[in-house]
Amino acid sequence: MKWRKSTYSDGGAGDTCVEIATLPAHIAIRDSKAPARATLTFPAPAFTALVDHLKEHPSAILAGSDGVGAHS
């Protein structure tokens, strides 16, 4: 699998980097700081819908100090 840093990762302090890999029908996502850990895989349309939703509602997920998303 060929991983690349997501264009949706912010530049910040380097602590919010997400890598993605494009598969034939899915998008795989992993934490760049822990690449050996679990990988999330979504059907491509579901990933696109998630990104579109976050673009429309950027306050839907706020990153906490521990890096885990929290709903506002």
Side-chain angles (χ1 to χ4, degrees):
M1 219 179 307
K2 184 177 179 182
W3 293 95
R4 66 179 176 84
K5 182 177 174 185
S6 171
T7 58
Y8 297 101
S9 290
D10 77 19
D15 59 353
T16 56
C17 294
V18 175
E19 293 178 322
I20 63 171
T22 304
L23 306 170
H26 292 83
I27 303 294
I29 304 169
R30 71 180 182 184
D31 182 345
S32 64
K33 297 179 306 306
R37 288 189 151 182
T39 299
L40 299 175
T41 305
F42 298 93
F47 180 76
T48 300
L50 171 65
V51 171
D52 289 345
H53 176 79
L54 293 174
K55 284 180 181 178
E56 291 176 26
H57 308 281
S59 64
I61 297 178
L62 301 175
S65 60
D66 60 359
V68 177
H71 294 282
S72 58

